[in-house]
Amino acid sequence: MKKNKNYLISEKFTKRHIFLTDFLSALANTKTGLFGAFVVLLMFFLAIFAPWIAPYDPTLIDVPNRLQPPNLSHWMGTDLAGRDVLSRLMWGARPSLQVGVLAVLIGMPGGIVIGLIAGFYRGSLLETILMRATEIIAAVPLLIVAVAIVGILGVNPIDLGFFTITNEIKIVFVLGILYIPGLARVVFAVASTEAVSDYIRARKTQGVRDFSLIFGDVLPNCLSVVTVWATLLTAGGVLAEAGLSFVGLGVQPPDASWGVMLSEARKFIFSGEWWLLFFPGLAISITVIGFNLFGDALRDILDPRHYTGPRID
Amino acid sequence: MSLINSINRRNFLITSGSLAGLSVLPWMSPNAAFGADQTLTLALPNNPANFDPAHQANHDTMACSQVVFENLLEVDTDGNIQPMLAKSWSVSEDGLTYIFDLRDDVYFHNGQKMTAEDVKYSYDTVRDKKYKLRRRSLWTPIKEVVIESPTKIRFDMEFPYNDLPKLMTKYMGVWPKGSREPGQPGDAAGENAIKKGPVGLGTGPGIFVKFVSNDYVEFKRNPNYWRKDLPKWNKLIFKVVPEDAVRVAYLLTNQAQVITAPPPREFVRLKDFKGISGASKPSYGFMMLTMNLAAAPMDDVNFRFAVSRAINREEIAQLFGGVFTPHAVFTFAGNAPGRPFNLKAERALDFNLDSAKEYLAKSKYPNGTDFELVIPAVPYIVNVSEAALLLQGQLAKIGIKVRIQTLQMRSYFKKAFGKDKTNNMHVFMNPPSTTYGLAGQFFSGRKIQLAKNFEKLYPETSKEFDEATRKAWASKTSAEAEVHVEKMQGLIARECTGIAIGNVSAANLWRSDVKGFDVNTCVTMRTRNLSLE
Amino acid sequence: MWLILRRASFSVFALFIISFLLFLLTNVVPGSPASAVLDVDASLEEILSWEREHNLHLPVTEQYWIWLCQTLSGDLGESFITDRDLATEIKDTLPITLEWVSLGFGLAIIVGIPLGVASALNPNSWIDHIARVVAMTGISVPDYWIALMLISFVSVGLGWFPPGGHTPLSAGIIPHIKSLVLPVITLSLHYTAVFSRYTRSSMLDVLSQDYIRTARAMGLGRIRIWIYALKNSLPPVINVGAMSFGFSFGHALFIEHVFGIAGLSLSLLNAINELDYPMIQLNVLIVTIIFILANLSADCLNFLINPRLRRQT
């Protein structure tokens, strides 16, 4: 959507220029994409407006009514301390989405910049250094390292005086850094192709500085892949946060998070309180499915090379 | 056209093959008795940190060290003192001399015969700072151990200490002479053998075989056990299963024949289930809040009273369905002889919301404040996390906000009993002694003193407390001791230096074809008499 | 050939860097590990002497060097906490994890790849829809949730499989297999989805290439074409497979946690809970080594399958 000042490149630009209306209609054509978008919006809505729309206080303890199956006053039942499961579910969207989105936001600057610079200067020493460095980070299995680092740092908030590093912040940073290689590689692929394309060469001969070329022209063209990748990484982040909370390294009980709710439900898997296990797991699944479907739909729309049409046979 | 068919045929073959495979599965039922070769499996929630009888912190995992090590006397499952390696014993009028007549037919697992030398070595090494044993301070009242003959030994005490026989089972054992010295030949593999893998070093019914951390411990039958017809099992396995529900599942699928610390709801439901037996007994342990008396806000007496009076212990007891008896003083449930119960103290500390609000108003925090509470992540005897949640809700009613932090065992110990001394909520298990629970927390000579800073902050109360403790230890009858222990309870209640929530009961569930299992009022599972029919 | 060697040497280099970073991290943690190990009443001299024993008074680089020499010479050291030989712990737990993860992975390959192929060859048919639903569910639904549901319904409900634990081979082959069935199924659900998705998209990409169309136009039989297409679409799948094998240890952590299998991944979690820093470090390094080996073997495999790569070097 950048305004082009130079008519020579405008044609190339508009070919990849997706107008919002085209985009929305393309999205509406895919049922799954629409469902995904709906889920994403719903989860963000819940996360943001939970304090206002949750029927009960998620920390309200009500022992006489504990472990009730879903009924009229508690649509998803109550948990071991009598807290309303539905309210906890709504509030639980917050840490999951926070971690998912923030981790991606933290990884994006690094990943994009590295990918752009490495792609633009492909073949140079700079590129080798940058890409090798990201390969080192990528050489470790993500979940294991995330678990290990968060575990080593401990689950206690680290007090730096003016600022407390809570557990969530630790997770967000660790995941964000671990996301950089993936983003960098994806951006690198696009940037390196763009860097040798005609219009960039033309602009270079016109004397435009590299910096504005990279961030002015190549970057917007990478945005589509970045968006797709970011959506998929958010899905991964939601899963990672839930998983870390489940093993006790993320959000700590008694705060609400879907992973924590699942871990609290473990005591009741044989005694018949199915709703404690079912709803949080369903929430995680639907959210992740939603993000994944949305990301897939985005990819289908934005990347003309990704062919999913009928077989030519 | 044919291609579509071929795909469908391929898929069809795959699906039908797997369906055929799946149909075989139900015939492979897992419920055949695991004890076919007289192997008994018991499930524990915690991982044994070591097997040293004088270095145990956890009363569930004591079941492991008690398979290997024994002592002069033991406490039976109802809390009564019985002879063990000593066939008879006596104590002098003034309580300062104990004489034990040892059995003549006891052999260690390495073949060595047990004599008074081994007993002396054991009691000398536990009191020696060099060996850094956790339970050392429980045995320092012994002034000297004197061998009178290979089967007769005398303990000279510094002061009367009637707890001595009651502590032997949980906090001590008899090991061979010289076995704690580094570089031992034979079965003992270095000075840590007793802690890591005491092969050949005990006199008990089971010989240590193997320990896979966080998985299981294995023992095999001692063929030369001095109790001639025991044990009846060939192999004994303790499986480590931290999750409550999975432990129950193990019982139901016969992966384990006996389990401990069953979740209360499952216990109530399953103890009358077909094929399963369950029982509980009141124990001497309690659930309590240990506070950091030197740090805000718990350094304020009125605040402490406010907290204690705001806790609705009856409501907490509802969580546990019969295996918990609420109390505001450190006492025990059941009809234990000489059960101390200072009613006045109880009334001063028990639930009374109005009084709690009054105390809060008098304190430094009339508008409420917050404090941190750490709880262990793995249940110990019972799971305190639900009780902690309730407590959080109850204190919130008067404006006190509790921040609960759940930590794994090691981090928990570090935070709760280390430098930070964060307020914590836990279960403190005791031997069948009426003084142990209180002395363990507040007596000035104790290493495992939980409420540190007590002497420093309340020196007069501490002195009176020590005096009352010594008098209780010198008492000749339980009725006499009762008087002194009630005084101790009253002293704690005076400044509310300890908050009790209630008594926990020991509860177990086991498969009905296991014979000889009796719930131990001291919680630790007794395996000696078990057999499968 | 040289390509492989270059990648291998780079991986070794990456390993050194990662191990150093981990080492650094464990030293950043406030509070000496001594306080976790020794009794809470340990005096200052006791703490200092313990630290001296474990080289904690030396500068970090020197500590790292000592550790490196020790490890390379085979002495993996002892855990701070349990005083047990780390090498034994690894020896006890690694084979268990490798076994069931490989089985799960194998199952995923056997089911996932054919599913992906069938899906690609029959777009929008019923099998395609089922495959895509399975794929989407498999990558989105948290594996620990599936594990918990499997335990509660299949294990205790139906009584077919033990609810956890790992029965070693020595106790009989049938009990051994039975104890592995549920975790293997849980892991393979996720990876079947991954393989199915990648195979499908890779195959679709290949099938839309011009050379396929040409070959078909020239009259080459359908099945022959599919076989060629499959061979050409395998390389990205193999790459993804290798990366996934490394990542699977992360999933294995959750699954072992739920089923209580005393494998390598669970020992990482236990080490974290017990603040056993040497074990955490060693554990992560071993998983990283496995990851790197998997990537290298994927490269070799690709090399063998795809003659074009051979010519590139």
Side-chain angles (χ1 to χ4, degrees), chain A residues 132, chain C residues 1-11 296 299-300 303 309-313:
Chain A
R132 290 279 178 258
Chain C
M1 210 54 229
W2 293 120
L3 190 70
I4 303 282
L5 280 179
R6 253 199 337 194
R7 283 194 60 76
S9 49
F10 179 69
S11 306
L296 282 178
D299 284 341
C300 286
F303 211 57
L309 283 175
R310 262 181 253 155
R311 253 179 279 131
Q312 257 174 26
T313 55

Side-chain angles (χ1 to χ4, degrees), chain A residues 6-20:
Chain A
N6 193 324
Y7 75 95
L8 266 177
I9 61 156
S10 59
E11 192 174 312
K12 196 72 169 195
F13 228 107
T14 48
K15 273 208 185 115
R16 296 167 191 270
H17 192 113
I18 310 285
F19 291 102
L20 195 60

Side-chain angles (χ1 to χ4, degrees), chain B residues 215-232:
Chain B
D215 202 358
Y216 68 93
V217 191
E218 187 179 323
F219 300 95
K220 69 174 188 227
R221 182 174 178 272
N222 176 7
N224 300 316
Y225 188 47
W226 55 269
R227 286 198 169 101
K228 287 308 165 200
D229 53 348
L230 293 179
K232 296 205 174 71

Side-chain angles (χ1 to χ4, degrees), chain B residues 27-336:
Chain B
W27 306 126
M28 308 196 295
S29 159
N31 286 327
F34 266 63
D37 57 348
Q38 289 295 326
T39 301
L40 264 174
T41 310
L42 301 94
L44 296 169
N46 290 295
N47 191 34
N50 63 74
F51 299 100
D52 191 334
H55 203 67
Q56 292 290 311
N58 183 313
H59 292 248
D60 277 329
T61 57
M62 273 178 195
C64 298
S65 55
Q66 287 179 13
V67 173
V68 174
F69 292 99
E70 301 182 309
N71 212 327
L72 302 173
L73 303 171
E74 76 164 349
V75 174
D76 69 13
T77 54
D78 288 314
N80 305 313
I81 301 172
Q82 305 286 353
M84 201 181 205
L85 296 178
K87 50 186 193 221
S88 65
W89 63 290
S90 65
V91 56
S92 64
E93 231 350 88
D94 57 3
L96 294 173
T97 315
Y98 287 80
I99 303 216
F100 299 95
D101 282 309
L102 306 174
R103 294 185 71 96
D104 197 24
D105 55 354
V106 182
Y107 291 85
F108 288 104
H109 300 151
N110 58 10
Q112 212 179 307
K113 185 164 177 178
M114 185 206 78
T115 66
E117 302 253 336
D118 303 301
V119 177
K120 178 171 165 66
Y121 178 77
S122 306
Y123 280 89
D124 283 345
T125 47
V126 74
R127 291 173 303 138
D128 189 341
K129 279 198 173 142
K130 180 172 92 168
Y131 300 94
K132 300 202 204 116
L133 292 172
R134 184 173 276 135
R135 301 294 177 182
R136 176 180 160 266
S137 57
L138 294 175
W139 306 103
T140 47
I142 301 175
K143 189 161 66 176
E144 204 187 343
V145 178
V146 178
I147 299 177
E148 299 201 339
S149 86
T151 54
K152 200 164 170 149
I153 198 159
R154 190 180 86 224
F155 284 20
D156 290 330
M157 310 297 293
E158 303 258 4
F159 49 81
Y161 188 54
N162 58 17
D163 258 0
L164 185 80
K166 300 181 197 153
L167 304 177
M168 285 186 176
T169 308
K170 282 189 179 287
Y171 306 112
M172 189 54 191
V174 170
W175 45 82
K177 178 168 177 186
S179 56
R180 286 196 185 265
E181 308 315 315
Q184 282 305 294
D187 289 337
E191 66 212 77
N192 277 324
I194 293 188
K195 291 200 173 69
K196 291 203 277 192
V199 182
L201 297 177
T203 59
I207 301 178
F208 179 88
V209 172
K210 189 170 184 205
F211 172 47
V212 179
S213 187
N214 285 303
D215 202 358
Y216 68 93
V217 191
E218 187 179 323
F219 300 95
K220 69 174 188 227
R221 182 174 178 272
N222 176 7
N224 300 316
Y225 188 47
W226 55 269
R227 286 198 169 101
K228 287 308 165 200
D229 53 348
L230 293 179
K232 296 205 174 71
W233 36 264
N234 282 331
K235 201 155 69 149
L236 194 69
I237 297 191
F238 286 92
K239 275 219 64 119
V240 180
V241 188
E243 287 82 39
D244 291 345
V246 181
R247 229 167 27 250
V248 172
Y250 268 53
L251 182 74
L252 293 175
T253 54
N254 206 9
Q255 298 263 298
Q257 283 80 48
V258 184
I259 66 170
T260 185
R265 300 180 74 245
E266 298 302 317
F267 176 70
V268 169
R269 183 172 74 101
L270 290 173
K271 66 177 164 50
D272 301 317
F273 211 63
K274 184 156 122 36
I276 308 273
S277 310
S280 71
K281 269 187 199 166
S283 78
Y284 286 77
F286 25 74
M287 187 187 294
M288 52 181 281
L289 235 59
T290 299
M291 304 165 287
N292 187 344
L293 302 171
M298 291 300 186
D299 54 351
D300 180 344
V301 173
N302 290 315
F303 185 74
R304 292 200 296 270
F305 270 104
V307 169
S308 180
R309 302 219 89 183
I311 301 177
N312 186 343
R313 294 162 177 84
E314 289 286 345
E315 198 181 54
I316 294 182
Q318 280 172 33
L319 284 175
F320 294 103
V323 294
F324 186 84
T325 320
H327 276 302
V329 293
F330 295 102
T331 182
F332 332 102
N335 297 316

Side-chain angles (χ1 to χ4, degrees), chain A residues 61 63-64 66-67 80-81 83 155-157 247 252-254 264 266-271 273, chain B residues 243-246 249 265-266 269 315 318-319 383 385-386 389-390 392-393 404-407 415:
Chain A
I61 296 177
V63 172
R66 65 195 287 255
L67 296 173
L80 52 103
R83 299 172 293 197
V155 298
N156 303 323
V247 292
Q252 297 295 303
E264 284 174 352
R266 284 181 82 174
K267 292 200 275 268
F268 303 100
I269 50 179
F270 303 123
S271 48
E273 282 88 3
Chain B
E243 287 82 39
D244 291 345
V246 181
R265 300 180 74 245
E266 298 302 317
R269 183 172 74 101
E315 198 181 54
Q318 280 172 33
L319 284 175
N383 199 330
S385 56
E386 296 175 28
L389 279 177
L390 269 193
Q392 193 185 39
I404 298 182
Q405 200 183 27
T406 315
L407 292 176
K415 196 126 202 266

